[in-house]
Amino acid sequence: MKEEVHVFAPATVANVACGFDILGFALEQPGDEIIMRRTRQCGVVIRKIFGDNGKLSCEAGLNVAGIAASHFLNNVQPGYGVEIELQKGMPIGSGLGSSAASATASLFAANILFDKPLNIMALLPLAMECEKAVCGTAHADNVGPALLGGFTLIRSYEPLDVVAIKTPDDLLCTVIHPHIEVSTEDARKILRKQIALKDAITQWGNVAGLIAGLMKSDYELIGRSLRDVIAEPVRSLLIPRFKEIQTAVLACGALGCSISGSGPSIFALTNDQNIAEEVGRIAQGEFQSAGLRSEVFISGINQNGPVLIEEE
Ligand code: HSE
């Protein structure tokens, strides 16, 4: 059995416009890192957290990495505890799946530390429980792709049925994170609980179109399908200059542009590096004119999910 492991788990873009709670994909960067050590003392201790600007609690029961490790230990009962060092590589409350990355890193690290008693699919319900602890709902569209890599469809929650969707190799994602925070819990509360049949028809046409477009590498179909008539109209009100950014980003040639997860980050997909960079400049300029600082991440789709960085 190993004494220590060091792992990386990726940021994720959930919803992907039309797929509220059922679609998500993993990014190559950014991501969180965890160093986890086995301890004789049972239970979970968080030793250090870096990169969070002091926002996160080191109390294991109040930190999603700690909660994830506790779920793992309760499940597997290895007869040891763990201590954790967490390096946050992404902003918190940004819509990049920050809690999912930490939970995934922690579960993946613990599983390796204790010689893989669980397979990746068995880690998913534990990761979903962490999402529930943090935002009130056990949604899987961040933790699914964070754990499995690639583009993930949650076909069903009960029973859980997760499908990996093949994506074109050259797809690029630009994420622009304005420096405001939106909690997923709040962004879920403002959504309408009922939707009109007309909107449902539009939405499921787009979900099916997006999946077909990805599987056929049909960029025009991907672009036509990256539309959301359910969450985006409500949540975009929380993001200054969202409409202006979306209009300008589409005009510059991106395939589609919507809110990343519950926001406030905005994502756009393209298969052209120049457009990916131009999208970042456009959005940063718009946010700047609203008095907001922002940062840009440009990444391919991460096909691997979490990875082991080094072992001792
Ligand atoms: N599907 C979730 C939501 C993702 O939109 O609330 C949160 O990142």
Side-chain angles (χ1 to χ4, degrees), residues 14-15 20-21 139 141-142 184 188 235 261-262:
N15 300 338
F20 179 75
D21 274 2
H139 61 92
D141 49 342
N142 291 112
T184 298
R188 295 182 77 88
R235 287 178 165 177
S262 54

Side-chain angles (χ1 to χ4, degrees), residues 123-241:
L123 296 177
L124 185 54
L126 302 182
M128 289 168 65
E129 277 306 307
C130 296
E131 291 285 47
K132 189 169 183 183
V134 174
C135 82
T137 326
H139 61 92
D141 49 342
N142 291 112
V143 287
L147 267 170
L148 303 172
F151 195 108
T152 305
L153 163 69
I154 321 302
R155 206 277 308 161
S156 152
Y157 275 88
E158 286 176 22
L160 192 59
D161 185 0
V162 178
V163 184
I165 305 294
K166 199 172 152 22
T167 51
D169 292 338
D170 56 356
L171 217 48
L172 287 173
C173 178
T174 307
V175 178
I176 313 94
H177 168 239
H179 288 191
I180 46 176
E181 255 183 58
V182 172
S183 91
T184 298
E185 193 167 10
D186 292 343
R188 295 182 77 88
K189 281 190 193 140
I190 61 172
L191 295 176
R192 284 170 291 157
K193 299 292 170 285
Q194 273 159 0
I195 56 171
L197 181 60
K198 180 170 130 312
D199 289 340
I201 292 168
T202 304
Q203 199 83 355
W204 58 54
N206 283 328
V207 171
L210 179 55
I211 301 295
L214 289 167
M215 296 185 75
K216 292 165 63 176
S217 295
D218 181 337
Y219 296 106
E220 305 238 314
L221 179 56
I222 293 171
R224 293 199 299 283
S225 308
L226 281 170
R227 305 222 171 121
D228 175 15
V229 296
I230 291 175
E232 184 188 292
V234 185
R235 287 178 165 177
S236 59
L237 303 175
L238 302 175
I239 307 171
R241 303 193 77 80

